[in-house]
Amino acid sequence: MADIRAVRPLNPVSAYLAVAGMWARSALVYRLNFVLVVVVGLLVNGVEFIGIVFMFMNVPALGGYSLPEVALLYGASGTALGLCDLLFGSIEKIGSRIRDGSLDTFLVRPVRLYPQAAADQFALRRLNRLIQAGGVLVYGLVAADVHWTWGRALMIPVMLICGTAIFEGVFTLGAAFQFWAQDAAEVQNAFTYGGNYLTQYPPTVFAKEMVRGAVFVIPLAFVDWWPALYVLGKPDPLGLPAWTHFLSPVVAGAFCGIAALAWRAAVRGYRSTGS
Amino acid sequence: MAFIELEGVEKTFTVRRKRGRFTRTKDEVRAVEGLTFGVERGEMVGYIGPNGAGKSTTVKMLTGILTPSAGRLRVAGVDPQKERVRLAQRIGVVFGQRTTLWWDLPLRDSFTLVRRIYRIPQDRFEENLGRCVDQLELGPLLDTPVRQLSLGQRMRGDITAALLHDPEVLYLDEPTIGLDILSKATVRRFLAEVNARGTTVLLTTHDLQDIEQLCRRVMVIDHGRVVYDGGLEGLQGSDGAERTLVVDLAGPSPAIDVDGARVVRREGDGERQWLAFPAGRSAAPLVAAVAERYPLVDLSVREPDIEDVIARLYRGVPAQAT
């Protein structure tokens, strides 16, 4: 055929940044509203950790973890979810896009669907969770009685990146599920925000079955529990071999791979069944 | 090979219906079946049909949003469903009821996003934007937030956004719906110009005047099949579609008897009468003839619309406005 154009499609990262930038600027049109939402969010999230501090006024330790150690878990889990929510959290809005048919306008653009859906309704106000959790994490890192080595220091960024990736996997699986059940955003929230709630406390306070589920089913344990076992030198509640504490990158990679397959299957299904 | 080519294209949807409290039945609904047609490069085709006839389904398959259940489909030699992203670079789509503009941002920003997403070179972007803004009279609106634009202004913005990357084919779904007469005229003039520059256009509409003024070829689709494909004059038949003159008289009157029109309906003992006359003829001499012999109080002229024209296809009688 004549006139086939050699224009390569825009790469997904640039596409994501272009769309997210538009949403960020849209939000800044309403400046006062934006500031209020961020401030209120910081307060609400702040109160949550203060609740944990109050708990420690009555007990010296929680499941064998001191306050700074719990702060480290809380901060790591919250930072990972906060990063994921900021960067990819919008993917959970896909259900409403399918319902009202506006997904079609994404599908006629020369860009893959995922970066567009991830950037859809990008909201800078989600920074508030990240700021609050990051602050708690810093407190935990400074105050916890950690015997710092290079390996343990390196584990902190690895833990945050893998945690973000695992939460992204959960978000993506949930979004894929919404192609079939279009109002299933709440089910997804049970695993994302619920997962965050779970992993901000020490694994030792939960029943073994719960912890097993977080290790072997939905790998939330690898967000922060297992890497933190290594950093803090804590005993493994399931008695698994020590090398499992370093498995987060492998688990995160595999889990995201599964999520990506589910996403592709869902999009393909949409395109053959229609809205 | 035609630029757009469909051969025996079918699309079946499975619809689940609730029967009892727990039981559901699956029904197969055929949106289109055995759709076969071709559109040459540079053509402007009116694609019309009643609601639910399969028009949107066709456009969605042509853009790669939907995968056909059966049949063969090619746009510019490419299978849209397999190469959606690459093909998107070469097509423009305007969904009349769904804007792609950014509500809270100045109109200009939406176009800038298009430039980035489609990787349009700066000079070509400026040239195309300049031409669209000029012809669609968008100049003073570029810095206005989209939420403050009228429906017609937004539609002109959407059409611009769909054309900035020089698409080879433009799909338009109801581009004039809800617009005032001036906006409609501007949009039509512009679309004719776009087509004259070589862009293939597939136009879905309910407005017969869109078709009359823009398309030399019309395809009528109903129940998922092409039931007519040819010129508009063929669709209207040798006696043509009919316009209707509605007259209000000062009092009860027998059926109006004038040359070139016939009474199709009377109300209030003849106080209001409907006169059908060929669509190609001017209403002026008819109005004069009626006014001369009857106590004319008020009148209006009604155009036949697409539904009437299509209905006539089945009945084999001239379309009438009611």
Side-chain angles (χ1 to χ4, degrees):
Chain A
M1 267 313 283
D3 201 22
I4 287 208
R5 293 198 192 161
V7 181
R8 275 185 305 119
L10 187 63
N11 70 70
V13 176
S14 302
Y16 173 88
L17 290 175
V19 176
M22 294 291 274
W23 282 107
R25 289 175 46 215
S26 294
L28 288 176
V29 169
Y30 306 97
R31 261 166 234 276
L32 181 63
N33 180 56
F34 176 75
V35 171
L36 283 176
V37 168
V38 171
V39 170
V40 169
L42 274 174
L43 288 175
V44 169
N45 283 331
V47 165
E48 196 185 50
F49 186 70
I50 289 169
I52 295 176
V53 174
F54 280 148
M55 207 156 24
F56 273 93
M57 291 175 136
N58 296 306
V59 291
L62 200 61
Y65 285 66
S66 66
L67 176 61
E69 288 168 343
V70 171
L72 198 151
L73 287 177
Y74 178 99
S77 170
T79 304
L81 180 70
L83 257 179
C84 177
D85 195 29
L86 179 71
L87 297 178
F88 309 104
S90 299
I91 201 99
E92 71 174 356
K93 304 269 164 59
I94 195 104
S96 62
R97 288 290 185 191
I98 296 169
R99 271 201 305 277
D100 71 16
S102 47
L103 193 69
D104 291 349
T105 58
F106 292 1
L107 285 169
V108 297
R109 291 185 188 147
V111 175
R112 286 177 169 280
L113 185 57
Y114 193 85
Q116 294 189 66
D120 186 29
Q121 296 171 53
F122 174 83
L124 271 180
R125 61 183 151 75
R126 297 194 185 121
L127 273 172
N128 65 43
R129 183 195 301 277
L130 197 57
I131 293 169
Q132 183 260 356
V136 175
L137 176 64
V138 169
Y139 161 71
L141 289 174
V142 172
D145 188 16
V146 177
H147 178 65
W148 287 107
T149 62
W150 279 110
R152 286 181 171 164
L154 187 64
M155 187 57 108
I156 302 298
V158 168
M159 172 166 74
L160 294 179
I161 293 168
C162 294
T164 305
I166 290 171
F167 277 126
E168 186 197 354
V170 176
F171 269 111
T172 306
L173 277 179
F177 184 58
Q178 287 186 47
F179 277 86
W180 285 287
Q182 284 158 24
D183 40 10
E186 291 307 316
V187 179
Q188 176 180 353
N189 289 345
F191 291 104
T192 50
Y193 302 105
N196 174 43
Y197 193 73
L198 184 79
T199 51
Q200 69 195 20
Y201 293 98
T204 41
V205 306
F206 295 103
K208 280 227 167 93
E209 286 68 28
M210 192 92 166
V211 179
R212 281 201 192 98
V215 171
F216 298 112
V217 186
I218 305 227
L220 292 166
F222 294 94
V223 169
D224 63 338
W225 283 351
W226 259 233
L229 289 176
Y230 166 68
V231 173
L232 299 173
K234 294 280 180 187
D236 189 321
L238 296 182
L240 296 177
W243 54 263
T244 57
H245 303 168
F246 303 96
L247 268 186
S248 285
V250 177
V251 170
F255 189 59
C256 285
I258 292 170
L261 287 178
W263 171 261
R264 282 180 63 176
V267 175
R268 198 171 299 152
Y270 174 79
R271 289 172 56 197
S272 58
T273 52
S275 46
Chain B
M1 192 176 63
F3 185 63
I4 296 174
E5 211 175 42
L6 288 88
E7 218 177 281
V9 169
E10 265 177 46
K11 181 69 197 173
T12 334
F13 295 107
T14 310
V15 181
R16 289 184 186 80
R17 287 207 180 84
K18 247 187 162 166
R19 236 219 196 125
R21 188 167 295 177
F22 299 109
T23 51
R24 286 184 179 194
T25 51
K26 279 188 184 179
D27 284 338
E28 298 252 296
V29 177
R30 290 198 170 185
V32 299
E33 53 180 311
L35 210 54
T36 301
F37 66 81
V39 175
E40 296 299 330
R41 193 180 276 272
E43 266 194 292
M44 184 150 183
V45 178
Y47 195 56
I48 62 178
N51 291 327
K55 300 187 299 273
S56 311
T57 306
T58 312
V59 172
K60 283 182 185 177
M61 288 193 290
L62 288 172
T63 50
I65 296 176
L66 289 182
T67 311
S69 317
R72 186 171 175 280
L73 199 153
R74 291 285 181 277
V75 176
V78 170
D79 183 344
Q81 155 246 333
K82 288 214 179 92
E83 302 202 51
R84 177 181 67 75
V85 172
R86 262 191 51 206
L87 186 67
Q89 202 65 256
R90 310 172 59 184
I91 64 177
V93 187
V94 177
F95 295 111
Q97 317 263 41
R98 200 167 285 148
T99 184
T100 57
L101 305 175
W102 291 73
W103 199 244
D104 286 320
L105 297 179
L107 184 57
R108 186 191 299 278
D109 294 19
S110 296
F111 299 147
T112 310
L113 180 73
V114 172
R115 180 176 67 75
R116 292 180 66 183
I117 293 272
Y118 286 83
R119 308 186 80 185
I120 309 168
Q122 188 68 37
D123 52 341
R124 214 173 75 195
F125 171 74
E126 270 161 23
E127 189 193 322
N128 288 344
L129 182 60
R131 191 177 54 244
C132 292
V133 163
D134 196 35
Q135 293 181 10
L136 289 172
E137 296 154 22
L138 287 172
L141 303 171
L142 279 176
D143 294 309
T144 309
V146 172
R147 61 167 188 276
Q148 292 172 13
L149 300 183
S150 73
L151 188 63
Q153 293 166 338
R154 225 156 58 214
M155 175 53 71
R156 285 182 270 149
D158 264 312
I159 293 175
T160 301
L163 286 169
L164 292 173
H165 61 293
D166 281 327
E168 292 162 64
V169 54
L170 178 65
Y171 302 106
L172 295 154
D173 188 9
E174 304 279 2
T176 59
I177 196 164
L179 303 194
D180 61 69
I181 292 176
L182 275 177
S183 288
K184 276 187 186 180
T186 311
V187 166
R188 284 177 192 144
R189 209 179 317 122
F190 181 71
L191 292 178
E193 154 82 15
V194 166
N195 179 240
R197 291 167 49 86
T199 310
T200 311
V201 181
L202 192 69
L203 170 69
T204 297
T205 184
H206 274 91
D207 191 324
L208 191 59
Q209 282 190 313
D210 285 350
I211 305 279
E212 267 177 356
Q213 295 181 16
L214 292 173
C215 307
R216 232 170 288 155
R217 178 175 167 202
V218 186
M219 273 189 291
V220 181
I221 177 171
D222 193 22
H223 291 98
R225 288 177 174 285
V226 176
V227 293
Y228 177 82
D229 186 349
L232 187 64
E233 56 297 337
L235 182 58
Q236 289 176 324
S238 53
D239 47 356
E242 293 183 318
R243 297 159 84 194
T244 306
L245 180 70
V246 185
V247 295
D248 286 342
L249 302 176
S253 157
I256 293 174
D257 178 29
V258 288
D259 280 343
R262 59 199 168 80
V263 174
V264 289
R265 194 170 151 204
R266 283 171 74 223
E267 243 174 40
D269 208 15
E271 239 174 298
R272 172 173 282 189
Q273 306 197 15
W274 281 257
L275 292 140
F277 64 101
R281 294 228 336 238
S282 163
L286 183 60
V287 173
V290 173
E292 192 182 309
R293 288 165 46 201
Y294 297 89
L296 188 59
V297 175
D298 202 359
L299 62 87
S300 64
V301 178
R302 294 186 188 170
E303 305 294 335
D305 69 10
I306 297 256
E307 269 70 19
D308 298 316
V309 172
I310 293 164
R312 197 185 56 80
L313 258 187
Y314 295 102
R315 292 200 311 266
V317 296
Q320 280 160 10
T322 45

